[in-house]
Amino acid sequence: TINPRIFRLLRIFRAFRALRALRVLRTISFLKHLQIIVSTLLSSIPALGSTVLILGLVLYTFAIIGRSLYGEIYPRRFGTLGRAFFSLFQLITLDDWFEFYDTIKDRDPTVLIFLLVFIVLEAFVLLNLVIAVLVSNLTEASKATSRFYRKKRRARRAAIADAVQGGAAGAAVAAATAA
């Protein structure tokens, strides 16, 4: 019999094949800015992978700390490691952070320090690192694209200048031969 895991794996590969649809953007010449953005996103995947890995490790570390410190105080949010992980992921978006604080502050005043360190580290530092990677790659792609088009324009101007000079020289030679 065939293992059902193989079918699940094949479904994942089908999803990756769907990304090939982005190749159509190469043929669309009037969407150059969209091409730059898509190529930037695709070229940023390795750097973003590293950044997301760091973000996940810090999130996991804080989930363990939050589970051990606040698991009994606030089991709805920190009762299990999975709940703590999800709750902290929600905190990255700065959603309901005051509810976390308000619920736990009477029992454990150190929750403010925990939340401040987590929010500053994850929401401000690490998420801005993700944005910095994207902006840096977008800037590089934009510069490369502008260099390409500048080079193309220079080649076109040089071809036009050669044609004009060749045409004038050809006319002068024809006039000299005719005389």
Side-chain angles (χ1 to χ4, degrees):
T1 64
I2 298 175
N3 191 346
R5 290 183 184 170
I6 293 173
F7 289 118
R8 281 188 232 133
L9 186 64
L10 290 175
R11 275 191 237 144
I12 292 171
F13 286 128
R14 279 190 221 140
F16 284 123
R17 280 194 326 205
L19 291 176
R20 290 189 306 180
L22 295 176
R23 289 189 297 182
V24 172
L25 293 175
R26 286 190 221 158
T27 61
I28 302 172
S29 61
F30 64 90
L31 295 175
K32 299 221 183 301
H33 295 291
L34 185 59
Q35 288 176 341
I36 293 170
I37 292 170
V38 170
S39 68
T40 298
L41 287 174
L42 293 176
S43 67
S44 299
I45 288 175
L48 284 176
S50 302
T51 307
V52 168
L53 181 68
I54 292 170
L55 209 142
L57 286 172
V58 172
L59 186 67
Y60 182 71
T61 303
F62 272 88
I64 292 172
I65 294 169
R67 165 74 180 98
S68 64
L69 291 177
Y70 311 114
E72 293 173 9
I73 298 172
Y74 198 17
R76 192 178 117 228
R77 296 286 189 171
F78 292 102
T80 64
L81 188 61
R83 285 182 183 171
F85 200 85
F86 184 75
S87 297
L88 291 175
F89 185 78
Q90 182 182 7
L91 273 177
I92 291 175
T93 65
L94 302 176
D95 185 33
D96 283 342
W97 72 269
F98 188 76
E99 189 250 333
F100 278 78
Y101 172 70
D102 199 36
T103 305
I104 303 174
K105 74 177 178 183
D106 295 330
R107 293 186 183 166
D108 192 353
T110 63
V111 70
L112 182 62
I113 296 168
F114 175 79
L115 288 175
L116 284 177
V117 170
F118 177 76
I119 288 172
V120 166
L121 190 63
E122 285 281 339
F124 298 132
V125 175
L126 292 176
L127 285 182
N128 280 330
L129 186 61
V130 169
I131 293 169
V133 166
L134 288 173
V135 168
S136 173
N137 286 341
L138 185 62
T139 303
E140 289 176 25
S142 181
K143 285 180 183 177
T145 303
S146 66
R147 279 192 300 261
F148 171 76
Y149 286 115
R150 252 188 272 132
K151 199 183 269 188
K152 200 172 180 179
R153 276 185 298 217
R154 284 184 190 144
R156 204 176 306 144
R157 286 179 188 154
I160 291 171
D162 288 344
V164 168
Q165 287 176 354
V173 169
T177 359

